[in-house]
Coordinates of all heavy atoms in Angstrom, one line a residue:
M1 N 78.3 94.2 116.1 CA 79.5 94.0 116.7 C 80.0 92.5 116.5 O 79.2 91.6 116.7 CB 79.4 94.2 118.2 CG 80.7 94.1 119.0 SD 80.5 94.9 120.5 CE 82.0 94.4 121.3
K2 N 81.2 92.3 116.2 CA 81.7 91.0 115.9 C 82.2 90.3 117.2 O 82.5 90.9 118.2 CB 82.9 91.1 114.9 CG 82.4 91.6 113.6 CD 83.5 91.4 112.6 CE 83.0 91.8 111.2 NZ 83.9 91.4 110.1
K3 N 82.1 89.0 117.1 CA 82.5 88.1 118.3 C 84.0 88.1 118.4 O 84.8 88.1 117.4 CB 82.0 86.7 118.1 CG 80.5 86.6 118.0 CD 80.1 85.1 117.9 CE 79.9 84.7 116.5 NZ 79.4 83.4 116.3
P4 N 84.5 88.0 119.7 CA 86.0 87.9 119.9 C 86.4 86.4 119.5 O 85.6 85.5 119.6 CB 86.2 88.1 121.4 CG 84.8 87.8 122.0 CD 83.8 88.1 120.9
I5 N 87.6 86.3 119.1 CA 88.2 85.0 118.8 C 88.4 84.3 120.1 O 89.0 84.8 121.0 CB 89.5 85.1 118.0 CG1 89.4 85.8 116.7 CG2 90.2 83.8 117.9 CD1 88.7 85.0 115.6
P6 N 88.0 83.0 120.2 CA 88.2 82.2 121.4 C 89.7 82.0 121.6 O 90.5 82.1 120.7 CB 87.5 80.9 121.2 CG 86.8 81.0 119.9 CD 87.2 82.3 119.2
T7 N 90.1 81.6 122.8 CA 91.5 81.3 123.1 C 91.6 79.8 123.0 O 90.7 79.0 123.4 CB 91.8 81.7 124.6 OG1 91.6 83.1 124.7 CG2 93.2 81.3 124.9
F8 N 92.7 79.4 122.4 CA 93.0 77.9 122.1 C 94.2 77.5 122.9 O 95.2 78.2 123.0 CB 93.2 77.7 120.6 CG 92.1 78.2 119.8 CD1 92.2 79.4 119.1 CD2 90.9 77.6 119.7 CE1 91.2 80.0 118.3 CE2 89.8 78.1 119.0 CZ 90.0 79.3 118.3
K9 N 94.2 76.3 123.4 CA 95.3 75.7 124.1 C 96.4 75.1 123.2 O 97.5 74.9 123.5 CB 94.9 74.7 125.2 CG 94.1 75.4 126.3 CD 93.7 74.4 127.3 CE 92.9 75.0 128.4 NZ 92.4 74.1 129.4
T10 N 95.9 74.6 122.0 CA 96.8 73.9 121.1 C 96.6 74.4 119.7 O 95.5 75.0 119.4 CB 96.6 72.4 121.2 OG1 95.3 72.1 120.7 CG2 96.8 71.8 122.6
D11 N 97.6 74.1 118.8 CA 97.4 74.4 117.4 C 96.2 73.6 116.8 O 95.5 74.1 116.0 CB 98.7 74.0 116.6 CG 99.8 75.0 116.9 OD1 99.6 76.1 117.4 OD2 101.0 74.7 116.5
R12 N 96.0 72.4 117.3 CA 95.0 71.5 116.8 C 93.6 72.2 117.1 O 92.7 72.2 116.2 CB 95.0 70.1 117.4 CG 93.9 69.2 117.1 CD 93.6 68.9 115.7 NE 94.7 68.3 115.0 CZ 94.9 68.3 113.7 NH1 94.0 68.8 112.9 NH2 96.0 67.8 113.2
E13 N 93.4 72.7 118.3 CA 92.1 73.4 118.6 C 91.9 74.6 117.6 O 90.8 74.8 117.2 CB 92.1 73.9 120.0 CG 92.0 72.8 121.1 CD 92.0 73.4 122.5 OE1 91.9 74.6 122.7 OE2 92.0 72.6 123.4
A14 N 92.9 75.3 117.4 CA 92.8 76.5 116.5 C 92.5 76.0 115.1 O 91.6 76.6 114.4 CB 94.1 77.3 116.5
E15 N 93.2 75.0 114.6 CA 92.9 74.5 113.3 C 91.5 74.0 113.1 O 90.8 74.3 112.1 CB 93.9 73.3 113.0 CG 95.3 73.8 112.8 CD 96.3 72.7 112.7 OE1 95.9 71.5 112.7 OE2 97.5 72.9 112.7
D16 N 91.0 73.3 114.1 CA 89.6 72.8 114.1 C 88.6 74.0 114.0 O 87.6 73.9 113.3 CB 89.3 71.9 115.3 CG 90.0 70.6 115.2 OD1 90.5 70.2 114.1 OD2 90.1 69.9 116.3
F17 N 88.9 75.0 114.8 CA 88.0 76.2 114.9 C 88.0 76.9 113.5 O 86.9 77.1 112.9 CB 88.5 77.2 115.9 CG 87.8 78.5 115.9 CD1 86.5 78.6 116.4 CD2 88.4 79.6 115.3 CE1 85.8 79.8 116.4 CE2 87.7 80.8 115.2 CZ 86.4 80.9 115.8
V18 N 89.1 77.1 112.9 CA 89.2 77.8 111.6 C 88.6 77.0 110.5 O 87.9 77.5 109.6 CB 90.7 78.1 111.3 CG1 90.8 78.6 109.8 CG2 91.2 79.1 112.2
A19 N 88.7 75.6 110.6 CA 88.1 74.8 109.6 C 86.5 74.8 109.6 O 85.9 74.7 108.6 CB 88.5 73.3 109.8
K20 N 86.0 75.1 110.8 CA 84.5 75.1 110.9 C 83.8 76.4 111.0 O 82.6 76.5 110.7 CB 84.1 74.2 112.1 CG 84.6 72.8 112.0 CD 84.4 72.0 113.4 CE 85.1 70.7 113.3 NZ 85.1 70.0 114.6
A21 N 84.5 77.4 111.5 CA 83.9 78.7 111.9 C 83.7 79.6 110.6 O 84.5 79.5 109.7 CB 84.7 79.4 112.9
D22 N 82.7 80.5 110.7 CA 82.6 81.5 109.7 C 83.3 82.7 110.2 O 82.9 83.4 111.1 CB 81.1 81.9 109.5 CG 80.9 83.1 108.6 OD1 81.8 83.6 108.0 OD2 79.7 83.5 108.5
L23 N 84.5 82.9 109.7 CA 85.4 83.9 110.3 C 85.0 85.4 110.1 O 85.4 86.3 110.7 CB 86.9 83.7 109.8 CG 87.5 82.4 110.1 CD1 88.9 82.3 109.5 CD2 87.6 82.2 111.6
T24 N 84.0 85.6 109.2 CA 83.5 86.9 109.0 C 82.7 87.4 110.2 O 82.5 88.6 110.3 CB 82.6 87.0 107.7 OG1 81.5 86.1 107.9 CG2 83.4 86.6 106.4
A25 N 82.3 86.5 111.0 CA 81.5 86.8 112.2 C 82.5 87.2 113.4 O 82.0 87.6 114.5 CB 80.6 85.7 112.6
Y26 N 83.8 87.1 113.2 CA 84.7 87.4 114.3 C 85.6 88.6 114.1 O 85.9 89.0 113.0 CB 85.6 86.1 114.5 CG 84.8 84.9 115.0 CD1 84.2 84.1 114.2 CD2 84.7 84.7 116.4 CE1 83.5 83.0 114.7 CE2 84.0 83.6 116.9 CZ 83.4 82.8 116.0 OH 82.7 81.7 116.5
D27 N 86.0 89.2 115.2 CA 86.8 90.4 115.2 C 88.3 89.9 115.0 O 88.8 89.3 115.9 CB 86.7 91.2 116.5 CG 87.6 92.4 116.5 OD1 88.2 92.7 115.5 OD2 87.7 93.0 117.6
L28 N 88.8 90.2 113.8 CA 90.2 89.7 113.6 C 91.2 90.8 113.7 O 92.4 90.7 113.3 CB 90.3 89.1 112.1 CG 89.3 87.9 111.9 CD1 89.4 87.5 110.4 CD2 89.6 86.8 112.8
S29 N 90.8 92.0 114.3 CA 91.7 93.1 114.3 C 92.9 92.9 115.2 O 93.9 93.6 115.1 CB 90.9 94.4 114.8 OG 90.5 94.2 116.1
G30 N 92.9 92.0 116.1 CA 94.0 91.7 117.0 C 94.9 90.6 116.5 O 95.8 90.2 117.2
G31 N 94.8 90.3 115.3 CA 95.6 89.2 114.7 C 97.1 89.5 114.6 O 97.4 90.7 114.6
Q32 N 97.9 88.5 114.5 CA 99.3 88.7 114.3 C 99.8 88.0 113.1 O 99.2 87.0 112.7 CB 100.1 88.0 115.5 CG 99.7 88.6 116.8 CD 100.5 87.9 117.9 OE1 101.3 87.0 117.7 NE2 100.1 88.2 119.2
V33 N 100.8 88.5 112.5 CA 101.4 87.8 111.3 C 102.1 86.6 111.8 O 102.9 86.6 112.7 CB 102.4 88.8 110.6 CG1 103.0 88.0 109.4 CG2 101.6 90.0 110.1
V34 N 101.8 85.5 111.1 CA 102.5 84.2 111.5 C 103.3 83.7 110.3 O 102.8 83.7 109.2 CB 101.4 83.2 111.9 CG1 102.0 81.8 112.2 CG2 100.5 83.7 113.1
R35 N 104.5 83.2 110.6 CA 105.3 82.7 109.6 C 105.2 81.2 109.6 O 105.5 80.6 110.7 CB 106.8 83.1 109.8 CG 107.6 82.9 108.6 CD 109.0 83.4 108.8 NE 109.9 82.2 108.6 CZ 110.7 81.6 109.4 NH1 110.8 82.1 110.6 NH2 111.4 80.6 109.1
F36 N 104.7 80.6 108.6 CA 104.6 79.1 108.5 C 105.9 78.5 108.1 O 106.6 79.1 107.2 CB 103.5 78.7 107.6 CG 102.1 79.1 108.1 CD1 101.5 80.2 107.6 CD2 101.5 78.3 109.0 CE1 100.3 80.6 108.1 CE2 100.2 78.6 109.5 CZ 99.6 79.8 109.0
E37 N 106.2 77.4 108.6 CA 107.5 76.7 108.3 C 107.2 75.7 107.2 O 106.8 74.6 107.5 CB 108.0 76.0 109.6 CG 108.3 77.0 110.7 CD 109.0 76.3 111.9 OE1 109.6 75.3 111.7 OE2 108.9 76.9 112.9
M38 N 107.5 76.0 106.0 CA 107.3 75.2 104.9 C 108.5 74.4 104.4 O 108.4 73.3 103.9 CB 106.7 76.0 103.7 CG 105.4 76.7 104.1 SD 104.2 75.6 104.6 CE 102.8 76.1 103.8
R39 N 109.7 75.1 104.5 CA 110.9 74.5 104.0 C 111.5 73.7 105.1 O 111.5 74.0 106.3 CB 111.9 75.6 103.6 CG 111.5 76.2 102.3 CD 112.5 77.2 101.9 NE 112.1 78.5 102.4 CZ 112.9 79.5 102.7 NH1 114.2 79.5 102.5 NH2 112.4 80.7 103.2
P40 N 112.1 72.5 104.7 CA 112.8 71.7 105.7 C 114.1 72.5 106.3 O 114.6 73.3 105.6 CB 113.3 70.5 105.0 CG 113.2 70.8 103.5 CD 112.2 72.0 103.4
K41 N 114.4 72.2 107.5 CA 115.6 72.8 108.1 C 116.8 72.1 107.5 O 116.8 70.8 107.4 CB 115.6 72.7 109.6 CG 114.4 73.3 110.4 CD 113.6 74.3 109.6 CE 112.3 74.5 110.3 NZ 111.1 74.0 109.6
D42 N 117.9 72.8 107.2 CA 119.0 72.1 106.6 C 120.3 72.1 107.5 O 121.3 71.5 107.1 CB 119.4 72.8 105.3 CG 119.6 74.3 105.4 OD1 119.4 74.8 106.5 OD2 119.9 74.9 104.3
K43 N 120.2 72.7 108.7 CA 121.3 72.6 109.6 C 120.8 72.2 111.0 O 119.7 72.7 111.4 CB 122.0 74.0 109.7 CG 122.6 74.5 108.4 CD 123.8 73.7 108.1 CE 124.4 74.2 106.8 NZ 125.5 73.5 106.4
A44 N 121.6 71.4 111.7 CA 121.3 71.0 113.0 C 122.3 71.7 114.0 O 123.4 72.0 113.7 CB 121.4 69.5 113.2
V45 N 121.8 72.1 115.2 CA 122.6 72.7 116.2 C 122.5 71.9 117.5 O 121.3 71.5 117.9 CB 122.1 74.2 116.4 CG1 122.8 74.8 117.6 CG2 122.2 75.0 115.2
S46 N 123.6 71.6 118.1 CA 123.5 71.0 119.4 C 123.8 72.1 120.5 O 124.7 72.9 120.3 CB 124.7 69.9 119.5 OG 124.7 69.3 120.7
L47 N 122.9 72.1 121.5 CA 123.0 73.1 122.5 C 122.9 72.5 123.9 O 121.9 71.8 124.1 CB 121.8 74.1 122.2 CG 121.7 75.3 123.1 CD1 122.9 76.3 122.9 CD2 120.4 76.0 122.7
R48 N 123.8 72.8 124.7 CA 123.7 72.3 126.1 C 123.1 73.4 126.9 O 123.4 74.6 126.9 CB 125.1 72.1 126.6 CG 125.8 70.9 125.9 CD 127.0 70.5 126.7 NE 127.7 69.3 126.1 CZ 127.3 68.1 126.3 NH1 126.2 67.8 127.1 NH2 127.9 67.1 125.7
L49 N 122.0 73.0 127.7 CA 121.3 73.9 128.5 C 121.2 73.3 129.9 O 121.2 72.1 130.1 CB 119.8 74.0 128.0 CG 119.7 74.6 126.6 CD1 118.2 74.5 126.2 CD2 120.2 76.0 126.6
P50 N 121.1 74.1 130.9 CA 120.9 73.6 132.3 C 119.5 72.9 132.3 O 118.6 73.3 131.6 CB 120.8 74.9 133.2 CG 121.5 75.9 132.4 CD 121.3 75.6 130.9
E51 N 119.4 71.9 133.0 CA 118.2 71.1 133.1 C 117.0 71.9 133.4 O 115.9 71.8 132.8 CB 118.3 69.9 134.1 CG 117.1 69.0 134.0 CD 117.3 67.7 134.8 OE1 118.5 67.5 135.3 OE2 116.4 67.0 135.0
K52 N 117.1 72.8 134.4 CA 115.9 73.6 134.8 C 115.5 74.5 133.6 O 114.3 74.8 133.4 CB 116.3 74.4 136.0 CG 116.3 73.6 137.3 CD 116.4 74.4 138.5 CE 116.4 73.5 139.7 NZ 116.1 74.2 140.9
L53 N 116.4 75.1 132.8 CA 116.1 75.9 131.7 C 115.3 75.1 130.7 O 114.3 75.5 130.1 CB 117.3 76.6 131.1 CG 117.1 77.4 129.9 CD1 116.1 78.6 130.2 CD2 118.4 78.0 129.4
L54 N 115.8 73.9 130.4 CA 115.2 73.0 129.4 C 113.8 72.7 129.9 O 112.8 72.7 129.1 CB 116.0 71.8 129.1 CG 115.4 70.8 128.1 CD1 115.2 71.5 126.7 CD2 116.4 69.6 127.9
E55 N 113.6 72.4 131.1 CA 112.3 72.1 131.7 C 111.3 73.3 131.5 O 110.2 73.1 131.1 CB 112.4 71.7 133.2 CG 113.0 70.3 133.4 CD 113.3 70.1 134.9 OE1 112.8 70.9 135.7 OE2 113.9 69.0 135.2
A56 N 111.9 74.5 131.8 CA 111.0 75.7 131.6 C 110.7 75.9 130.1 O 109.5 76.2 129.8 CB 111.8 76.9 132.1
V57 N 111.6 75.7 129.2 CA 111.3 75.8 127.8 C 110.2 74.8 127.4 O 109.3 75.1 126.7 CB 112.6 75.6 127.0 CG1 112.3 75.3 125.5 CG2 113.5 76.8 127.1
R58 N 110.4 73.6 127.8 CA 109.4 72.5 127.5 C 108.0 72.9 128.0 O 107.0 72.7 127.4 CB 109.9 71.2 127.9 CG 111.0 70.6 127.1 CD 111.4 69.2 127.6 NE 112.2 68.6 126.6 CZ 113.1 67.6 126.8 NH1 113.2 67.1 128.0 NH2 113.8 67.1 125.9
G59 N 108.0 73.4 129.2 CA 106.7 73.8 129.8 C 106.0 74.9 129.0 O 104.8 74.9 128.8
E60 N 106.8 75.9 128.7 CA 106.3 77.0 127.9 C 105.8 76.5 126.5 O 104.8 77.0 126.0 CB 107.3 78.2 127.7 CG 107.5 79.0 128.9 CD 106.2 79.7 129.4 OE1 105.6 80.3 128.5 OE2 105.9 79.6 130.6
A61 N 106.6 75.7 125.9 CA 106.2 75.1 124.6 C 104.9 74.3 124.7 O 104.0 74.5 123.8 CB 107.3 74.2 124.1
R62 N 104.7 73.6 125.8 CA 103.4 72.9 126.0 C 102.3 73.8 126.1 O 101.2 73.6 125.5 CB 103.5 72.0 127.2 CG 103.8 70.6 127.0 CD 103.6 69.7 128.2 NE 104.3 70.2 129.4 CZ 105.6 70.0 129.7 NH1 106.3 69.3 128.9 NH2 106.1 70.5 130.8
R63 N 102.5 74.9 126.8 CA 101.4 75.9 127.0 C 101.1 76.6 125.7 O 99.9 76.9 125.4 CB 101.9 77.0 128.0 CG 101.7 76.5 129.5 CD 101.9 77.6 130.5 NE 103.3 77.8 130.8 CZ 104.0 76.9 131.6 NH1 103.5 75.8 132.1 NH2 105.3 77.2 131.9
E64 N 102.1 76.8 124.8 CA 101.9 77.4 123.5 C 101.3 76.4 122.5 O 100.9 76.7 121.4 CB 103.2 78.0 123.0 CG 103.7 79.1 123.7 CD 102.9 80.4 123.5 OE1 102.4 80.6 122.4 OE2 102.7 81.2 124.4
G65 N 101.4 75.1 122.8 CA 100.9 74.0 122.0 C 101.8 73.8 120.8 O 101.4 73.4 119.7
V66 N 103.2 74.0 121.0 CA 104.1 73.7 119.9 C 105.2 72.8 120.5 O 105.5 72.8 121.7 CB 104.8 75.0 119.4 CG1 103.7 75.9 118.7 CG2 105.5 75.8 120.4
P67 N 105.9 72.1 119.6 CA 107.1 71.3 120.0 C 108.2 72.2 120.6 O 108.3 73.3 120.2 CB 107.6 70.6 118.7 CG 106.4 70.6 117.8 CD 105.6 71.9 118.2
Y68 N 108.9 71.7 121.6 CA 109.9 72.6 122.3 C 111.0 73.1 121.4 O 111.5 74.2 121.5 CB 110.5 71.9 123.5 CG 111.6 70.9 123.3 CD1 112.9 71.3 123.4 CD2 111.3 69.6 123.0 CE1 113.9 70.4 123.2 CE2 112.3 68.6 122.8 CZ 113.6 69.1 122.9 OH 114.6 68.2 122.7
Q69 N 111.4 72.3 120.4 CA 112.5 72.8 119.5 C 111.9 73.9 118.6 O 112.7 74.9 118.3 CB 113.0 71.6 118.6 CG 113.9 70.7 119.5 CD 114.5 69.6 118.6 OE1 114.0 69.3 117.5 NE2 115.5 68.9 119.2
R70 N 110.7 73.8 118.2 CA 110.1 74.9 117.4 C 110.0 76.2 118.3 O 110.2 77.3 117.9 CB 108.7 74.6 116.9 CG 108.2 75.7 116.0 CD 106.8 75.4 115.5 NE 106.7 74.2 114.8 CZ 105.5 73.6 114.5 NH1 104.4 74.1 114.9 NH2 105.5 72.4 113.9
F71 N 109.6 76.0 119.6 CA 109.5 77.1 120.5 C 110.9 77.8 120.7 O 110.9 79.0 120.7 CB 109.0 76.6 121.9 CG 108.9 77.6 122.9 CD1 107.7 78.4 123.0 CD2 109.9 77.9 123.8 CE1 107.6 79.4 123.9 CE2 109.8 78.9 124.8 CZ 108.6 79.7 124.8
I72 N 112.0 77.0 120.8 CA 113.3 77.6 120.9 C 113.6 78.4 119.6 O 114.1 79.5 119.7 CB 114.4 76.5 121.1 CG1 114.2 75.9 122.5 CG2 115.8 77.1 120.9 CD1 115.1 74.6 122.7
R73 N 113.3 77.8 118.4 CA 113.6 78.5 117.2 C 112.7 79.8 117.1 O 113.2 80.9 116.7 CB 113.2 77.6 116.0 CG 113.7 78.1 114.7 CD 113.6 77.0 113.6 NE 112.4 76.3 113.5 CZ 112.2 75.0 113.9 NH1 113.2 74.3 114.3 NH2 111.0 74.4 113.7
M74 N 111.5 79.8 117.5 CA 110.6 80.9 117.5 C 111.2 82.0 118.5 O 111.1 83.2 118.2 CB 109.2 80.6 117.9 CG 108.5 79.8 116.9 SD 106.9 79.0 117.4 CE 106.1 80.2 118.4
A75 N 111.7 81.6 119.6 CA 112.3 82.6 120.6 C 113.5 83.2 120.0 O 113.7 84.4 120.2 CB 112.6 81.8 121.9
I76 N 114.3 82.5 119.3 CA 115.5 83.0 118.7 C 115.1 84.0 117.6 O 115.6 85.1 117.5 CB 116.4 81.9 118.1 CG1 117.0 81.1 119.3 CG2 117.5 82.5 117.3 CD1 117.7 79.8 118.9
E77 N 114.2 83.6 116.8 CA 113.7 84.5 115.7 C 113.1 85.8 116.2 O 113.3 86.9 115.7 CB 112.7 83.8 114.8 CG 113.3 82.7 113.9 CD 112.3 81.9 113.2 OE1 111.1 82.0 113.4 OE2 112.7 81.1 112.3
S78 N 112.3 85.7 117.3 CA 111.7 86.8 117.9 C 112.8 87.8 118.5 O 112.7 89.0 118.3 CB 110.8 86.4 119.0 OG 110.2 87.5 119.7
A79 N 113.8 87.2 119.1 CA 114.8 88.1 119.7 C 115.6 88.8 118.6 O 115.9 90.0 118.7 CB 115.8 87.2 120.5
L80 N 115.9 88.1 117.5 CA 116.6 88.7 116.3 C 115.7 89.8 115.7 O 116.2 90.8 115.3 CB 117.0 87.6 115.3 CG 118.1 86.7 115.8 CD1 118.3 85.5 114.8 CD2 119.4 87.4 116.0
H81 N 114.4 89.5 115.6 CA 113.5 90.5 115.0 C 113.5 91.8 115.9 O 113.6 92.9 115.3 CB 112.1 89.9 114.9 CG 111.1 90.9 114.3 ND1 111.1 91.2 113.0 CD2 110.1 91.6 114.9 CE1 110.2 92.1 112.7 NE2 109.5 92.3 113.9
R82 N 113.4 91.6 117.2 CA 113.4 92.8 118.1 C 114.8 93.5 118.0 O 114.8 94.8 118.0 CB 113.2 92.4 119.5 CG 111.7 92.0 119.8 CD 111.5 91.9 121.3 NE 112.4 91.0 122.0 CZ 112.3 89.7 122.2 NH1 111.3 89.1 121.6 NH2 113.3 89.0 122.8
A83 N 115.9 92.8 117.9 CA 117.2 93.4 117.8 C 117.4 94.2 116.5 O 118.0 95.2 116.5 CB 118.3 92.4 117.9
S84 N 116.8 93.7 115.4 CA 116.9 94.4 114.1 C 116.1 95.7 114.1 O 116.3 96.5 113.2 CB 116.5 93.4 113.0 OG 115.1 93.2 113.0
R85 N 115.1 95.8 114.9 CA 114.2 97.0 114.9 C 114.8 98.1 115.8 O 114.3 99.2 115.8 CB 112.8 96.7 115.4 CG 112.1 95.8 114.5 CD 110.7 95.5 114.8 NE 110.3 95.9 116.1 CZ 109.2 95.5 116.7 NH1 108.5 94.5 116.1 NH2 108.8 95.9 117.9
K86 N 115.9 97.8 116.5 CA 116.5 98.9 117.4 C 117.3 99.8 116.6 O 117.9 99.6 115.6 CB 117.4 98.2 118.5 CG 116.6 97.5 119.5 CD 117.5 96.9 120.6 CE 116.7 96.2 121.6 NZ 117.5 95.7 122.7

């Protein structure tokens, strides 16, 4: 029986784990496809948000271990992906 993948609080913790661990010893069946951001962004968007919403976004981004602007972009992409599957 393979070991479960530990939970990580930040991307850095996950990167350190992957760099050192023998992944063949772990159960990877619950993995998700991840899209890496390799290309630079070419358009900027200015968005006004209520302060409480921005605070909530920043808090969730911290919990996910990503910058808040990336978190917003990921949330938009996720919503568009779900909408396209309907």
Side-chain angles (χ1 to χ4, degrees):
M1 184 162 168
K2 294 190 175 194
K3 298 185 261 185
I5 296 287
T7 302
F8 307 103
K9 292 182 181 178
T10 65
D11 287 346
R12 171 60 57 200
E13 286 181 8
E15 290 169 6
D16 290 344
F17 172 79
V18 170
K20 298 172 187 169
D22 175 7
L23 296 180
T24 62
Y26 291 88
D27 177 11
L28 303 177
S29 64
Q32 299 176 8
V33 175
V34 177
R35 194 177 127 242
F36 291 97
E37 298 185 22
M38 303 302 225
R39 286 184 268 156
K41 300 345 164 248
D42 55 357
K43 297 289 180 184
V45 175
S46 178
L47 181 66
R48 294 194 177 277
L49 299 174
E51 187 172 352
K52 287 188 179 202
L53 177 57
L54 182 57
E55 288 172 8
V57 165
R58 285 182 168 158
E60 285 299 313
R62 262 192 309 277
R63 280 187 276 287
E64 292 287 325
V66 297
Y68 80 94
Q69 289 181 342
R70 184 182 308 163
F71 181 85
I72 292 170
R73 193 169 46 252
M74 290 167 42
I76 292 169
E77 289 174 349
S78 177
L80 289 172
H81 180 74
R82 285 192 311 271
S84 71
R85 293 185 351 200
K86 288 184 178 179

